[in-house]
Amino acid sequence: MTTAGLISARCDSADRLVESDEILAALQVRLGGGYPGVIALPGLLSLVRRARMAGATLGAAMTVTDEGQPLSFSARAIPDGAGTRIEISDWKVASDAWQGDEAASADEALVRQLAEAHIVLDAEQRIVSGSVTAGDLADLASGLQQGFGKYWTDFVTLEGNAHRQPLHWRLLDEARVAVPGSSRVWKTRILPLRAGGFELLLVAETVLINVPAKAVAAAPEPLPQPDWKGLLGRKLAPALRLPINRIVANAETIRTRLAGPLAEQYVGYAGDIAEAGRHLLSLVEDLADLETVEDEGFAPAPDHIDLVDCARRAAGILGVRAQERGIAFVLPAPDVAAPAIAEFRRVLQILLNLIGNAVRYSPEHTRVEVDCGIDGEFAWITVLDQGQGIAQEHAEKVFEKFERLGRSGDGGSGLGLYISRRLARAMGGDLTVQQAPDGGAKFVLLLPADTAAQATAAG
């Protein structure tokens, strides 16, 4: 292992590296950047930008692979006039430090860049050493100085876990914790070290902006949080849709060989890219909808609609997906009508979610039945599948935010049913689920009936 002394550099107001000691300037060029030029190391660029925008000194531990050799170092970004000064210390060649491949994984490298507390633990998860870069973790930093040999869990509160050490490290990896003195929610990452022991990283799940470290440490009240209201739905979602759609479209062009001959393995890669792009786009839409339905001022625009028409449209949109799995739709008879007062777009959104879930979780070569009707002052529509169903004790849990009921890797976000119920209730109705008599899940959507349309039809 080799080390270097303090490395200094300076960036201008556009975050371009304009002055640097030789060791960092050489790394900048080897990583494909220009000198002078925008910082080529993503983690360091992010740190410099955050420090410039916050007007406060920030620090972080980082890793980078240079010509196949993993390096680690500590970086500080210090706003200085129109630019930013950079100070790098503890520059180490770390090929023998981490367990696993010679180069740290991209995921671990990103987590290390985002972490605001780095703690080394022994094999029993007791504290060996630690460093903290966040001002609101001042109490933790003080505790670490006196905490040698103590379990790290003594200094935080584990969300939903009252057990004390010893616990297997995998049970604590990616756990949410509260840290005394910090109003933010933190998530743990525990990485095994090759020589034994672990590295514990704390990554914030909430953002702290424009609060200098000294002010944070001394603040007697909860720290002010930025107002992100409307940021995703009104700003980020529209900006993300175009590039993600381009990724999907270009990947499909490659997958279908429209751009020319292609080896089979690359066809598969392109298909994976397209599928990942669609999943990301779906997640963006779900998060934007989540922001909308949780807004205090949210109010649907009711109109005169027919639930039967909505059901047929949703089934038509999902028809290709159902055919791929050999699933047949059983829809209401042509002479059935279920007039209701609700916003057409939102009702269609709910039905796409319900019928889409039915197609996704039903066995192949089964059927999904959709029925509609009027019961008193409510119009109703049911979606029934032949899948495993939902146990009665999970009938409410399934509508909770981010609830997956143990499913993972199926492309869902855990938000669809939560958003659908919020929409149904905002329109004066409700959404429930029950176990079907012969198995499967039966979702029931209730909406206010259109009594005027009923009277007209009867007359």
Side-chain angles (χ1 to χ4, degrees), residues 61 65 153 201 293 395 458:
T65 300
T153 48
L201 307 173
V293 299

Side-chain angles (χ1 to χ4, degrees), residues 68-115:
Q69 176 64 64
L71 305 173
S72 65
F73 57 90
S74 298
R76 295 176 71 228
I78 308 158
D80 183 14
T84 308
R85 286 190 294 115
I86 300 173
E87 294 181 353
I88 292 177
S89 58
D90 298 326
W91 183 281
K92 301 174 183 177
V93 177
S95 60
D96 60 342
W98 309 110
Q99 183 179 30
D101 296 335
E102 185 176 278
S105 70
D107 175 63
E108 291 180 5
L110 176 61
V111 171
R112 286 195 179 96
Q113 292 168 9
L114 295 176

